[in-house]
Amino acid sequence: MLGPVTVNVVLHPAADHPELLAAPTAKALAEHAAALPLPEIQVGAIDPALADTAAFCAEYGVGLDESANCVVVAAKRAGQTTYAACLVLATTRADINGLARRHLGARKISFAPMGEAVELTGMEYGGITPVGLPADWPILIDEAVAAAPRVVVGSGIRGSKLWLPGSALAALPGAEVLPGLGTVPGAPATQ
């Protein structure tokens, strides 16, 4: 089990509270129950107006180094578009144009437009989580996220967040731990 929680959110076992999850997130937790440490995956309701990382962390007492951002990217090559998710700690930025682009074999990569990301994931913008993404999407996870004893991510809706071990994220279908995906702002990206 995770250690004591010192944030200003009441946490519950996520598997017992599907009403606090996007439908694809709840479905993924149920489908992958055998592979995921369900007792350690918790959900807490938050003010949807405070779902964005900086506001959430400031209001609820969560460090940026305990929060992970999930961004959806569209990678293009030879007229084909592949979607993927990149997950990095909030203290870093995802090396989308360098490492992620090369890893996905794309000629061009960009953040997926909001409407596409929402439609394709079935999740709310600002709450998209790697838990419950389409099965054919790669989930690229920075090694710092995978190694975290506990990290906070979206739940698929803006009105709650998930708390779970980084190892649970790395165990998701399609997940790949990609060292160097998260770069420190202002530092040169990997080449």
Side-chain angles (χ1 to χ4, degrees), residues 6 29 36 68 77 102 154 164:
T6 59
L29 288 176
L36 296 174
R77 182 173 188 87
R102 285 190 308 276
L164 69 167

Side-chain angles (χ1 to χ4, degrees), residues 12 47 63 65 85 88 110 127 131 135 162 168 176-177 183:
H12 309 278
D47 181 342
D65 60 341
V88 298
S110 60
V131 182
L162 289 174
E176 301 175 58
V177 176
T183 62

